[in-house]
Structures are given as C-alpha cells and as structure tokens.
Short mmCIF file of all heavy atoms in Angstrom, two decimals:
data_model
loop_
_atom_site.label_atom_id
_atom_site.label_comp_id
_atom_site.label_asym_id
_atom_site.label_seq_id
_atom_site.Cartn_x
_atom_site.Cartn_y
_atom_site.Cartn_z
N MET A 1 4.52 -11.20 -6.51
CA MET A 1 5.49 -10.12 -6.48
C MET A 1 4.94 -8.99 -5.62
O MET A 1 3.81 -8.56 -5.78
CB MET A 1 5.74 -9.62 -7.90
CG MET A 1 6.74 -8.51 -7.98
SD MET A 1 6.88 -7.84 -9.65
CE MET A 1 5.67 -6.52 -9.60
N THR A 2 5.76 -8.51 -4.71
CA THR A 2 5.31 -7.39 -3.88
C THR A 2 5.16 -6.14 -4.74
O THR A 2 5.97 -5.88 -5.64
CB THR A 2 6.37 -7.14 -2.78
OG1 THR A 2 6.41 -8.26 -1.92
CG2 THR A 2 6.01 -5.90 -1.96
N CYS A 3 4.14 -5.35 -4.44
CA CYS A 3 3.94 -4.12 -5.17
C CYS A 3 5.16 -3.19 -4.98
O CYS A 3 5.63 -3.00 -3.88
CB CYS A 3 2.68 -3.40 -4.65
SG CYS A 3 2.41 -1.82 -5.47
N PRO A 4 5.65 -2.61 -6.08
CA PRO A 4 6.80 -1.70 -5.96
C PRO A 4 6.50 -0.42 -5.19
O PRO A 4 7.47 0.28 -4.80
CB PRO A 4 7.17 -1.39 -7.40
CG PRO A 4 5.93 -1.68 -8.19
CD PRO A 4 5.22 -2.78 -7.45
N TYR A 5 5.26 -0.13 -4.96
CA TYR A 5 4.90 1.10 -4.20
C TYR A 5 4.86 0.85 -2.69
O TYR A 5 4.69 1.77 -1.91
CB TYR A 5 3.58 1.66 -4.67
CG TYR A 5 3.62 2.15 -6.08
CD1 TYR A 5 2.97 1.49 -7.12
CD2 TYR A 5 4.31 3.33 -6.39
CE1 TYR A 5 3.03 1.94 -8.41
CE2 TYR A 5 4.39 3.77 -7.71
CZ TYR A 5 3.75 3.08 -8.73
OH TYR A 5 3.78 3.54 -10.00
N LEU A 6 4.95 -0.40 -2.29
CA LEU A 6 4.87 -0.71 -0.86
C LEU A 6 6.23 -0.64 -0.19
O LEU A 6 7.22 -1.17 -0.71
CB LEU A 6 4.29 -2.12 -0.67
CG LEU A 6 4.17 -2.60 0.79
CD1 LEU A 6 3.09 -1.78 1.50
CD2 LEU A 6 3.84 -4.06 0.83
N GLU A 7 6.27 0.05 0.93
CA GLU A 7 7.49 0.06 1.73
C GLU A 7 7.08 0.07 3.18
O GLU A 7 5.90 0.26 3.52
CB GLU A 7 8.39 1.24 1.35
CG GLU A 7 7.78 2.59 1.65
CD GLU A 7 8.69 3.72 1.17
OE1 GLU A 7 9.36 3.57 0.11
OE2 GLU A 7 8.70 4.77 1.82
N TYR A 8 8.04 -0.13 4.05
CA TYR A 8 7.75 -0.15 5.49
C TYR A 8 8.54 0.96 6.16
O TYR A 8 9.74 1.14 5.91
CB TYR A 8 8.13 -1.51 6.10
CG TYR A 8 7.15 -2.59 5.66
CD1 TYR A 8 7.29 -3.24 4.44
CD2 TYR A 8 6.08 -2.89 6.45
CE1 TYR A 8 6.38 -4.18 4.03
CE2 TYR A 8 5.14 -3.85 6.06
CZ TYR A 8 5.31 -4.47 4.84
OH TYR A 8 4.37 -5.41 4.44
N ARG A 9 7.82 1.73 6.99
CA ARG A 9 8.44 2.87 7.64
C ARG A 9 8.25 2.75 9.17
O ARG A 9 7.21 2.27 9.62
CB ARG A 9 7.79 4.18 7.18
CG ARG A 9 8.03 4.45 5.71
CD ARG A 9 7.46 5.80 5.31
NE ARG A 9 7.76 6.06 3.89
CZ ARG A 9 7.44 7.20 3.30
NH1 ARG A 9 6.78 8.14 3.92
NH2 ARG A 9 7.74 7.36 2.01
N ASP A 10 9.26 3.19 9.88
CA ASP A 10 9.16 3.14 11.34
C ASP A 10 8.91 4.54 11.92
O ASP A 10 9.02 4.71 13.13
CB ASP A 10 10.38 2.47 11.96
CG ASP A 10 11.68 3.21 11.65
OD1 ASP A 10 11.61 4.31 11.06
OD2 ASP A 10 12.72 2.65 11.95
N ASP A 11 8.56 5.50 11.05
CA ASP A 11 8.11 6.79 11.54
C ASP A 11 7.26 7.48 10.47
O ASP A 11 7.25 7.04 9.32
CB ASP A 11 9.32 7.69 11.93
CG ASP A 11 10.11 8.14 10.71
OD1 ASP A 11 9.59 8.99 9.94
OD2 ASP A 11 11.24 7.63 10.51
N ASP A 12 6.54 8.49 10.90
CA ASP A 12 5.71 9.22 9.94
C ASP A 12 6.25 10.64 9.67
O ASP A 12 5.56 11.51 9.19
CB ASP A 12 4.26 9.29 10.40
CG ASP A 12 4.07 10.13 11.64
OD1 ASP A 12 5.06 10.65 12.20
OD2 ASP A 12 2.91 10.27 12.09
N GLY A 13 7.53 10.80 9.99
CA GLY A 13 8.13 12.11 9.80
C GLY A 13 8.11 12.91 11.08
O GLY A 13 8.86 13.86 11.25
N GLU A 14 7.22 12.56 11.99
CA GLU A 14 7.13 13.25 13.28
C GLU A 14 7.27 12.25 14.43
O GLU A 14 8.09 12.43 15.32
CB GLU A 14 5.82 14.00 13.40
CG GLU A 14 5.67 15.14 12.42
CD GLU A 14 4.35 15.85 12.53
OE1 GLU A 14 3.60 15.61 13.51
OE2 GLU A 14 4.02 16.65 11.64
N LEU A 15 6.45 11.21 14.35
CA LEU A 15 6.47 10.20 15.42
C LEU A 15 7.22 8.96 14.99
O LEU A 15 7.14 8.58 13.83
CB LEU A 15 5.03 9.81 15.79
CG LEU A 15 4.16 10.84 16.44
CD1 LEU A 15 2.75 10.33 16.62
CD2 LEU A 15 4.75 11.24 17.80
N GLU A 16 7.93 8.36 15.92
CA GLU A 16 8.58 7.08 15.69
C GLU A 16 7.67 5.97 16.19
O GLU A 16 7.12 6.06 17.29
CB GLU A 16 9.94 7.02 16.39
CG GLU A 16 11.07 7.17 15.41
CD GLU A 16 12.43 6.96 16.06
OE1 GLU A 16 12.64 5.92 16.68
OE2 GLU A 16 13.25 7.88 15.92
N PHE A 17 7.52 4.91 15.42
CA PHE A 17 6.69 3.77 15.84
C PHE A 17 7.57 2.74 16.48
O PHE A 17 8.78 2.66 16.24
CB PHE A 17 5.99 3.16 14.63
CG PHE A 17 5.27 4.17 13.77
CD1 PHE A 17 5.39 4.10 12.38
CD2 PHE A 17 4.50 5.16 14.32
CE1 PHE A 17 4.74 5.04 11.58
CE2 PHE A 17 3.84 6.08 13.50
CZ PHE A 17 3.97 6.01 12.12
N ASP A 18 6.94 1.85 17.29
CA ASP A 18 7.73 0.79 17.89
C ASP A 18 7.92 -0.38 16.94
O ASP A 18 8.67 -1.32 17.23
CB ASP A 18 7.13 0.33 19.23
CG ASP A 18 5.68 -0.05 19.10
OD1 ASP A 18 5.15 -0.03 17.98
OD2 ASP A 18 5.09 -0.42 20.14
N HIS A 19 7.19 -0.37 15.83
CA HIS A 19 7.41 -1.39 14.78
C HIS A 19 7.10 -0.74 13.43
O HIS A 19 6.38 0.25 13.37
CB HIS A 19 6.56 -2.63 15.00
CG HIS A 19 5.09 -2.33 15.00
ND1 HIS A 19 4.41 -1.84 16.08
CD2 HIS A 19 4.17 -2.45 14.00
CE1 HIS A 19 3.14 -1.66 15.77
NE2 HIS A 19 2.97 -2.03 14.52
N GLU A 20 7.62 -1.33 12.38
CA GLU A 20 7.42 -0.76 11.04
C GLU A 20 5.99 -0.92 10.60
O GLU A 20 5.35 -1.92 10.90
CB GLU A 20 8.38 -1.43 10.06
CG GLU A 20 9.82 -1.10 10.29
CD GLU A 20 10.71 -1.64 9.20
OE1 GLU A 20 10.45 -2.74 8.70
OE2 GLU A 20 11.69 -0.92 8.85
N ARG A 21 5.50 0.05 9.85
CA ARG A 21 4.14 0.00 9.32
C ARG A 21 4.20 0.09 7.79
O ARG A 21 5.03 0.80 7.22
CB ARG A 21 3.32 1.17 9.88
CG ARG A 21 3.16 1.13 11.37
CD ARG A 21 2.29 2.25 11.87
NE ARG A 21 2.22 2.22 13.32
CZ ARG A 21 1.53 3.10 14.05
NH1 ARG A 21 0.89 4.07 13.43
NH2 ARG A 21 1.50 3.02 15.36
N PRO A 22 3.25 -0.59 7.13
CA PRO A 22 3.24 -0.57 5.65
C PRO A 22 2.77 0.80 5.13
O PRO A 22 1.81 1.37 5.64
CB PRO A 22 2.26 -1.69 5.30
CG PRO A 22 1.38 -1.85 6.50
CD PRO A 22 2.21 -1.48 7.67
N PHE A 23 3.49 1.27 4.14
CA PHE A 23 3.21 2.60 3.57
C PHE A 23 3.12 2.48 2.03
O PHE A 23 3.97 1.80 1.40
CB PHE A 23 4.35 3.54 3.95
CG PHE A 23 4.15 4.96 3.46
CD1 PHE A 23 3.43 5.87 4.23
CD2 PHE A 23 4.67 5.37 2.26
CE1 PHE A 23 3.25 7.19 3.78
CE2 PHE A 23 4.49 6.68 1.80
CZ PHE A 23 3.79 7.60 2.57
N CYS A 24 2.08 3.02 1.50
CA CYS A 24 1.90 3.03 0.01
C CYS A 24 2.42 4.36 -0.55
O CYS A 24 1.85 5.41 -0.27
CB CYS A 24 0.45 2.83 -0.32
SG CYS A 24 0.10 3.06 -2.09
N ARG A 25 3.49 4.28 -1.34
CA ARG A 25 4.04 5.51 -1.94
C ARG A 25 3.12 6.07 -3.01
O ARG A 25 3.15 7.25 -3.32
CB ARG A 25 5.43 5.25 -2.49
CG ARG A 25 6.50 5.15 -1.43
CD ARG A 25 7.90 5.04 -2.01
NE ARG A 25 8.07 3.86 -2.84
CZ ARG A 25 8.09 3.85 -4.18
NH1 ARG A 25 7.97 4.96 -4.83
NH2 ARG A 25 8.24 2.73 -4.83
N ALA A 26 2.27 5.21 -3.59
CA ALA A 26 1.40 5.69 -4.67
C ALA A 26 0.34 6.63 -4.14
O ALA A 26 -0.02 7.60 -4.79
CB ALA A 26 0.73 4.50 -5.39
N GLN A 27 -0.15 6.34 -2.94
CA GLN A 27 -1.18 7.25 -2.39
C GLN A 27 -0.64 8.02 -1.18
O GLN A 27 -1.42 8.74 -0.51
CB GLN A 27 -2.45 6.49 -2.01
CG GLN A 27 -2.24 5.48 -0.92
CD GLN A 27 -3.56 4.83 -0.50
OE1 GLN A 27 -4.60 5.12 -1.10
NE2 GLN A 27 -3.53 4.02 0.51
N GLU A 28 0.66 7.87 -0.90
CA GLU A 28 1.30 8.67 0.15
C GLU A 28 0.60 8.49 1.50
O GLU A 28 0.32 9.51 2.18
CB GLU A 28 1.32 10.13 -0.25
CG GLU A 28 2.08 10.44 -1.51
CD GLU A 28 3.56 10.66 -1.23
OE1 GLU A 28 3.87 11.34 -0.28
OE2 GLU A 28 4.36 10.13 -2.02
N SER A 29 0.28 7.26 1.85
CA SER A 29 -0.31 7.04 3.17
C SER A 29 -0.03 5.64 3.65
O SER A 29 0.30 4.74 2.86
CB SER A 29 -1.84 7.28 3.10
OG SER A 29 -2.42 6.28 2.29
N PHE A 30 -0.14 5.48 4.96
CA PHE A 30 -0.01 4.14 5.56
C PHE A 30 -1.23 3.32 5.18
O PHE A 30 -2.34 3.87 5.00
CB PHE A 30 0.17 4.26 7.07
CG PHE A 30 1.48 4.82 7.45
CD1 PHE A 30 1.65 6.16 7.69
CD2 PHE A 30 2.62 4.01 7.55
CE1 PHE A 30 2.89 6.69 8.03
CE2 PHE A 30 3.86 4.52 7.88
CZ PHE A 30 3.98 5.88 8.11
N VAL A 31 -1.05 2.05 5.10
CA VAL A 31 -2.16 1.10 4.86
C VAL A 31 -2.20 0.10 5.99
O VAL A 31 -1.18 -0.10 6.69
CB VAL A 31 -2.03 0.42 3.49
CG1 VAL A 31 -2.13 1.41 2.35
CG2 VAL A 31 -0.76 -0.40 3.40
N SER A 32 -3.33 -0.52 6.15
CA SER A 32 -3.46 -1.51 7.25
C SER A 32 -2.66 -2.76 6.93
O SER A 32 -2.38 -3.06 5.76
CB SER A 32 -4.93 -1.87 7.42
OG SER A 32 -5.35 -2.67 6.32
N PRO A 33 -2.30 -3.51 7.94
CA PRO A 33 -1.60 -4.77 7.71
C PRO A 33 -2.40 -5.69 6.79
O PRO A 33 -1.84 -6.40 5.97
CB PRO A 33 -1.43 -5.36 9.11
CG PRO A 33 -1.44 -4.18 10.01
CD PRO A 33 -2.39 -3.20 9.39
N MET A 34 -3.73 -5.68 6.92
CA MET A 34 -4.57 -6.53 6.07
C MET A 34 -4.44 -6.06 4.61
O MET A 34 -4.32 -6.88 3.69
CB MET A 34 -6.02 -6.43 6.52
CG MET A 34 -6.84 -7.62 6.17
SD MET A 34 -8.33 -7.73 7.16
CE MET A 34 -9.32 -6.44 6.49
N ARG A 35 -4.45 -4.75 4.42
CA ARG A 35 -4.30 -4.24 3.05
C ARG A 35 -2.91 -4.60 2.52
O ARG A 35 -2.74 -4.92 1.31
CB ARG A 35 -4.50 -2.72 3.06
CG ARG A 35 -4.28 -2.08 1.69
CD ARG A 35 -5.39 -2.51 0.73
NE ARG A 35 -4.97 -2.25 -0.64
CZ ARG A 35 -5.78 -2.45 -1.69
NH1 ARG A 35 -6.99 -2.84 -1.52
NH2 ARG A 35 -5.34 -2.25 -2.90
N ALA A 36 -1.92 -4.57 3.39
CA ALA A 36 -0.54 -4.87 2.93
C ALA A 36 -0.44 -6.32 2.46
O ALA A 36 0.40 -6.62 1.62
CB ALA A 36 0.45 -4.60 4.04
N ASP A 37 -1.29 -7.19 2.95
CA ASP A 37 -1.30 -8.54 2.43
C ASP A 37 -1.63 -8.56 0.96
O ASP A 37 -1.08 -9.33 0.17
CB ASP A 37 -2.33 -9.41 3.18
CG ASP A 37 -1.79 -9.96 4.48
OD1 ASP A 37 -0.53 -9.92 4.64
OD2 ASP A 37 -2.55 -10.42 5.30
N ILE A 38 -2.56 -7.71 0.55
CA ILE A 38 -2.88 -7.57 -0.86
C ILE A 38 -1.70 -7.01 -1.61
O ILE A 38 -1.32 -7.52 -2.68
CB ILE A 38 -4.12 -6.66 -1.06
CG1 ILE A 38 -5.35 -7.33 -0.42
CG2 ILE A 38 -4.37 -6.41 -2.54
CD1 ILE A 38 -6.55 -6.45 -0.41
N CYS A 39 -1.09 -5.98 -1.04
CA CYS A 39 0.05 -5.37 -1.69
C CYS A 39 1.20 -6.38 -1.87
O CYS A 39 1.97 -6.29 -2.83
CB CYS A 39 0.60 -4.21 -0.84
SG CYS A 39 -0.68 -3.00 -0.37
N ASN A 40 1.24 -7.38 -1.00
CA ASN A 40 2.25 -8.42 -1.13
C ASN A 40 1.75 -9.62 -1.94
O ASN A 40 2.42 -10.63 -2.02
CB ASN A 40 2.65 -8.93 0.28
CG ASN A 40 3.62 -8.00 0.95
OD1 ASN A 40 4.67 -7.66 0.38
ND2 ASN A 40 3.30 -7.57 2.14
N ASP A 41 0.57 -9.44 -2.52
CA ASP A 41 0.00 -10.44 -3.43
C ASP A 41 -0.21 -11.79 -2.75
O ASP A 41 -0.04 -12.84 -3.33
CB ASP A 41 0.85 -10.61 -4.68
CG ASP A 41 0.89 -9.34 -5.52
OD1 ASP A 41 0.05 -8.45 -5.25
OD2 ASP A 41 1.70 -9.25 -6.43
N ARG A 42 -0.63 -11.73 -1.50
CA ARG A 42 -0.94 -13.00 -0.84
C ARG A 42 -2.38 -13.39 -1.14
O ARG A 42 -3.19 -12.57 -1.62
CB ARG A 42 -0.76 -12.84 0.67
CG ARG A 42 0.71 -12.70 1.04
CD ARG A 42 0.92 -12.47 2.48
NE ARG A 42 0.50 -13.58 3.32
CZ ARG A 42 0.51 -13.58 4.62
NH1 ARG A 42 0.90 -12.50 5.28
NH2 ARG A 42 0.11 -14.63 5.30
N TYR A 43 -2.73 -14.61 -0.86
CA TYR A 43 -4.09 -15.11 -1.05
C TYR A 43 -4.59 -14.89 -2.49
O TYR A 43 -5.76 -14.58 -2.73
CB TYR A 43 -5.07 -14.42 -0.06
CG TYR A 43 -4.58 -14.43 1.34
CD1 TYR A 43 -4.34 -13.26 2.02
CD2 TYR A 43 -4.34 -15.64 2.00
CE1 TYR A 43 -3.89 -13.27 3.32
CE2 TYR A 43 -3.88 -15.65 3.30
CZ TYR A 43 -3.65 -14.47 3.96
OH TYR A 43 -3.21 -14.47 5.24
N ASP A 44 -3.72 -15.04 -3.47
CA ASP A 44 -4.08 -14.96 -4.88
C ASP A 44 -4.47 -13.56 -5.33
O ASP A 44 -5.02 -13.39 -6.40
CB ASP A 44 -5.19 -15.93 -5.27
CG ASP A 44 -4.71 -17.37 -5.19
OD1 ASP A 44 -3.49 -17.57 -5.42
OD2 ASP A 44 -5.52 -18.25 -4.90
N PHE A 45 -4.27 -12.54 -4.48
CA PHE A 45 -4.50 -11.19 -4.93
C PHE A 45 -3.31 -10.75 -5.78
O PHE A 45 -2.22 -11.29 -5.67
CB PHE A 45 -4.64 -10.22 -3.75
CG PHE A 45 -5.98 -10.33 -3.09
CD1 PHE A 45 -6.11 -10.99 -1.88
CD2 PHE A 45 -7.09 -9.75 -3.63
CE1 PHE A 45 -7.33 -11.09 -1.25
CE2 PHE A 45 -8.32 -9.83 -3.00
CZ PHE A 45 -8.44 -10.51 -1.83
N ASP A 46 -3.59 -9.83 -6.64
CA ASP A 46 -2.54 -9.32 -7.52
C ASP A 46 -2.69 -7.80 -7.56
O ASP A 46 -3.75 -7.28 -7.91
CB ASP A 46 -2.73 -9.90 -8.93
CG ASP A 46 -1.64 -9.44 -9.85
OD1 ASP A 46 -1.54 -8.22 -10.12
OD2 ASP A 46 -0.88 -10.28 -10.34
N HIS A 47 -1.64 -7.07 -7.16
CA HIS A 47 -1.77 -5.63 -7.10
C HIS A 47 -2.13 -5.01 -8.42
O HIS A 47 -2.85 -4.05 -8.52
CB HIS A 47 -0.49 -4.99 -6.50
CG HIS A 47 0.74 -5.30 -7.27
ND1 HIS A 47 1.57 -6.37 -6.96
CD2 HIS A 47 1.33 -4.68 -8.30
CE1 HIS A 47 2.57 -6.41 -7.77
NE2 HIS A 47 2.45 -5.39 -8.62
N ARG A 48 -1.62 -5.62 -9.50
CA ARG A 48 -1.92 -5.08 -10.82
C ARG A 48 -3.40 -5.27 -11.19
O ARG A 48 -4.02 -4.38 -11.77
CB ARG A 48 -1.02 -5.75 -11.88
CG ARG A 48 -1.03 -5.09 -13.23
CD ARG A 48 0.02 -5.71 -14.12
NE ARG A 48 1.37 -5.59 -13.63
CZ ARG A 48 2.13 -4.51 -13.83
NH1 ARG A 48 1.68 -3.53 -14.50
NH2 ARG A 48 3.33 -4.50 -13.35
N ASP A 49 -3.95 -6.41 -10.83
CA ASP A 49 -5.34 -6.70 -11.17
C ASP A 49 -6.33 -6.13 -10.17
O ASP A 49 -7.48 -5.81 -10.52
CB ASP A 49 -5.55 -8.21 -11.25
CG ASP A 49 -4.88 -8.81 -12.49
OD1 ASP A 49 -4.55 -8.05 -13.41
OD2 ASP A 49 -4.65 -10.02 -12.45
N HIS A 50 -5.92 -6.03 -8.89
CA HIS A 50 -6.88 -5.73 -7.86
C HIS A 50 -6.73 -4.36 -7.21
O HIS A 50 -7.55 -4.04 -6.33
CB HIS A 50 -6.83 -6.82 -6.77
CG HIS A 50 -7.14 -8.19 -7.30
ND1 HIS A 50 -6.19 -9.17 -7.43
CD2 HIS A 50 -8.29 -8.71 -7.74
CE1 HIS A 50 -6.75 -10.25 -7.93
NE2 HIS A 50 -8.03 -10.00 -8.15
N CYS A 51 -5.75 -3.63 -7.56
CA CYS A 51 -5.55 -2.35 -6.87
C CYS A 51 -5.68 -1.17 -7.84
O CYS A 51 -4.83 -0.97 -8.70
CB CYS A 51 -4.18 -2.29 -6.17
SG CYS A 51 -3.96 -0.74 -5.28
N GLU A 52 -6.71 -0.38 -7.60
CA GLU A 52 -6.96 0.79 -8.44
C GLU A 52 -5.87 1.85 -8.22
O GLU A 52 -5.50 2.56 -9.17
CB GLU A 52 -8.35 1.38 -8.08
CG GLU A 52 -8.77 2.49 -8.99
CD GLU A 52 -10.16 3.02 -8.60
OE1 GLU A 52 -10.88 2.33 -7.84
OE2 GLU A 52 -10.48 4.11 -9.08
N VAL A 53 -5.38 1.94 -7.01
CA VAL A 53 -4.31 2.90 -6.72
C VAL A 53 -3.07 2.60 -7.58
O VAL A 53 -2.48 3.48 -8.16
CB VAL A 53 -3.94 2.87 -5.22
CG1 VAL A 53 -2.73 3.76 -4.93
CG2 VAL A 53 -5.12 3.24 -4.36
N PHE A 54 -2.72 1.32 -7.68
CA PHE A 54 -1.57 0.91 -8.47
C PHE A 54 -1.81 1.28 -9.95
O PHE A 54 -0.94 1.86 -10.60
CB PHE A 54 -1.35 -0.61 -8.35
CG PHE A 54 -0.21 -1.13 -9.20
CD1 PHE A 54 1.07 -1.15 -8.68
CD2 PHE A 54 -0.44 -1.51 -10.51
CE1 PHE A 54 2.14 -1.59 -9.47
CE2 PHE A 54 0.65 -1.95 -11.31
CZ PHE A 54 1.91 -1.98 -10.77
N ARG A 55 -2.99 0.92 -10.45
CA ARG A 55 -3.26 1.19 -11.88
C ARG A 55 -3.20 2.69 -12.17
O ARG A 55 -2.64 3.13 -13.19
CB ARG A 55 -4.63 0.63 -12.27
CG ARG A 55 -4.60 -0.87 -12.43
CD ARG A 55 -5.84 -1.38 -13.12
NE ARG A 55 -7.08 -1.09 -12.36
CZ ARG A 55 -7.56 -1.86 -11.42
NH1 ARG A 55 -6.92 -2.99 -11.10
NH2 ARG A 55 -8.65 -1.55 -10.77
N ASN A 56 -3.78 3.51 -11.29
CA ASN A 56 -3.76 4.95 -11.50
C ASN A 56 -2.34 5.48 -11.47
O ASN A 56 -1.96 6.35 -12.27
CB ASN A 56 -4.62 5.66 -10.47
CG ASN A 56 -6.09 5.48 -10.72
OD1 ASN A 56 -6.50 5.04 -11.79
ND2 ASN A 56 -6.89 5.77 -9.71
N ALA A 57 -1.52 4.96 -10.55
CA ALA A 57 -0.13 5.40 -10.44
C ALA A 57 0.63 5.02 -11.72
O ALA A 57 1.41 5.84 -12.24
CB ALA A 57 0.53 4.78 -9.21
N GLU A 58 0.39 3.84 -12.23
CA GLU A 58 1.06 3.38 -13.44
C GLU A 58 0.62 4.18 -14.64
O GLU A 58 1.39 4.43 -15.59
CB GLU A 58 0.78 1.90 -13.67
CG GLU A 58 1.42 0.99 -12.67
CD GLU A 58 2.93 1.02 -12.75
OE1 GLU A 58 3.49 0.48 -13.70
OE2 GLU A 58 3.56 1.58 -11.81
N ASP A 59 -0.64 4.63 -14.64
CA ASP A 59 -1.17 5.43 -15.75
C ASP A 59 -0.82 6.90 -15.60
O ASP A 59 -1.20 7.70 -16.44
CB ASP A 59 -2.69 5.27 -15.82
CG ASP A 59 -3.12 3.89 -16.24
OD1 ASP A 59 -2.25 3.13 -16.71
OD2 ASP A 59 -4.30 3.55 -16.04
N GLY A 60 -0.17 7.25 -14.51
CA GLY A 60 0.25 8.63 -14.31
C GLY A 60 -0.87 9.51 -13.83
O GLY A 60 -0.78 10.75 -13.88
N GLU A 61 -1.94 8.88 -13.34
CA GLU A 61 -3.07 9.68 -12.83
C GLU A 61 -2.84 9.98 -11.35
O GLU A 61 -2.04 9.38 -10.70
CB GLU A 61 -4.38 8.90 -13.02
CG GLU A 61 -4.73 8.67 -14.48
CD GLU A 61 -6.02 7.89 -14.64
OE1 GLU A 61 -6.80 7.83 -13.68
OE2 GLU A 61 -6.21 7.38 -15.72
N ALA A 62 -3.59 10.96 -10.88
CA ALA A 62 -3.48 11.35 -9.46
C ALA A 62 -3.83 10.17 -8.59
O ALA A 62 -4.65 9.33 -8.94
CB ALA A 62 -4.44 12.50 -9.17
N ALA A 63 -3.17 10.11 -7.46
CA ALA A 63 -3.42 9.02 -6.52
C ALA A 63 -4.87 9.01 -6.10
O ALA A 63 -5.49 10.03 -5.86
CB ALA A 63 -2.53 9.21 -5.28
N THR A 64 -5.42 7.80 -6.06
CA THR A 64 -6.82 7.62 -5.63
C THR A 64 -6.79 6.97 -4.28
O THR A 64 -6.31 5.83 -4.15
CB THR A 64 -7.54 6.68 -6.61
OG1 THR A 64 -7.42 7.25 -7.90
CG2 THR A 64 -9.00 6.57 -6.23
N PRO A 65 -7.29 7.65 -3.26
CA PRO A 65 -7.30 6.99 -1.95
C PRO A 65 -8.15 5.73 -2.01
O PRO A 65 -9.14 5.67 -2.77
CB PRO A 65 -7.97 8.05 -1.06
CG PRO A 65 -7.88 9.31 -1.81
CD PRO A 65 -7.87 8.98 -3.25
N LEU A 66 -7.78 4.76 -1.26
CA LEU A 66 -8.56 3.54 -1.19
C LEU A 66 -9.92 3.84 -0.60
O LEU A 66 -10.07 4.71 0.25
CB LEU A 66 -7.84 2.50 -0.31
CG LEU A 66 -6.55 1.97 -0.87
CD1 LEU A 66 -5.82 1.18 0.21
CD2 LEU A 66 -6.81 1.09 -2.08
N ALA A 67 -10.92 3.13 -1.08
CA ALA A 67 -12.27 3.31 -0.55
C ALA A 67 -12.28 2.90 0.94
O ALA A 67 -11.47 2.10 1.36
CB ALA A 67 -13.25 2.49 -1.34
N GLU A 68 -13.22 3.48 1.64
CA GLU A 68 -13.33 3.15 3.07
C GLU A 68 -13.46 1.63 3.23
O GLU A 68 -14.19 0.98 2.51
CB GLU A 68 -14.54 3.84 3.63
CG GLU A 68 -14.54 3.91 5.14
CD GLU A 68 -15.62 4.83 5.66
OE1 GLU A 68 -15.75 5.92 5.09
OE2 GLU A 68 -16.24 4.44 6.63
N GLY A 69 -12.73 1.12 4.19
CA GLY A 69 -12.77 -0.31 4.44
C GLY A 69 -11.74 -1.08 3.64
O GLY A 69 -11.53 -2.29 3.84
N GLN A 70 -11.03 -0.41 2.72
CA GLN A 70 -10.01 -1.09 1.90
C GLN A 70 -8.61 -0.73 2.32
O GLN A 70 -7.66 -1.19 1.72
CB GLN A 70 -10.22 -0.76 0.42
CG GLN A 70 -11.41 -1.40 -0.17
CD GLN A 70 -11.41 -1.20 -1.71
OE1 GLN A 70 -11.13 -0.13 -2.19
NE2 GLN A 70 -11.68 -2.26 -2.42
N ASP A 71 -8.48 0.23 3.28
CA ASP A 71 -7.16 0.68 3.61
C ASP A 71 -6.46 -0.30 4.57
O ASP A 71 -6.97 -1.23 5.01
CB ASP A 71 -7.20 2.06 4.23
CG ASP A 71 -8.01 2.14 5.52
OD1 ASP A 71 -8.77 1.20 5.78
OD2 ASP A 71 -7.86 3.14 6.21
S1 LIG B 101 -2.27 0.06 -2.02
FE1 LIG B 101 -1.98 -0.66 -4.14
S2 LIG B 101 -0.40 0.73 -5.01
FE2 LIG B 101 -0.33 0.94 -2.81
S3 LIG B 101 1.26 -0.51 -2.16
FE3 LIG B 101 -0.73 -1.56 -2.02
S4 LIG B 101 -0.98 -2.62 -3.97
FE4 LIG B 101 0.64 -1.08 -4.23
#
C-alpha cells in the first residue's frame, strides 16, 4: 500500500518541474525517487514498519526529517 503521505507535485510553489517529483506531506519536503520506492512499499519495505517519519506523523509528533542518505 502506498503511504498516504506520499504525493507527486510538478512544482514547489515557485518553480515548475518538467516531471512530477515525490513529496512527503509528513515532513513537508520532496524525497528522492529511491526513497519514494520505500514510500510505495516496493522491495518488501513497509512505510509503517520502516519509516520513522510516518510513525511520528501517526503519533502526532513533529515531523522528523529523514537522516542523511535516506531522503
Ligand atoms: S517518507 Fe515516510 S511518511 Fe513520507 S511519504 Fe515516505 S513513507 Fe510516507
């Protein structure tokens, strides 16, 4: 199941992109295409089990930026 916080945007409010980019509403930032594979639960990843940002958002805690190299 795709993470409910994942969406695709073709602009960042100022610039328009030539293709849509994955955006995490839980942390209010774009994520890399590789990270979006996790958000889409590919390769046996599960956003509920493997994403701290998701868990914090579900718990009502402040958004936690992904650690370097995980975005
Ligand atoms: S980074 Fe986590 S909370 Fe954000 S869209 Fe991906 S799986 Fe969901």
Side-chain angles (χ1 to χ4, degrees):
M1 180 185 92
T2 296
C3 177
Y5 294 109
L6 180 67
E7 62 185 34
Y8 288 83
R9 296 184 177 182
D10 60 9
D11 69 71
D12 67 358
E14 294 179 11
L15 293 175
E16 255 186 55
F17 310 135
D18 55 1
H19 61 278
E20 292 187 322
R21 297 182 183 180
F23 183 88
C24 171
R25 285 186 298 103
Q27 64 174 5
E28 299 273 318
S29 67
F30 288 94
V31 296
S32 71
M34 206 161 73
R35 178 68 199 185
D37 277 345
I38 295 173
C39 308
N40 280 308
D41 296 347
R42 290 176 65 184
Y43 310 118
D44 292 330
F45 283 103
D46 183 296
H47 57 269
R48 192 172 299 275
D49 290 341
H50 299 109
C51 182
E52 187 179 345
V53 175
F54 178 90
R55 284 194 298 274
N56 287 345
E58 292 295 288
D59 292 346
E61 295 179 19
T64 304
L66 292 169
E68 197 168 316
Q70 289 188 316
D71 62 344

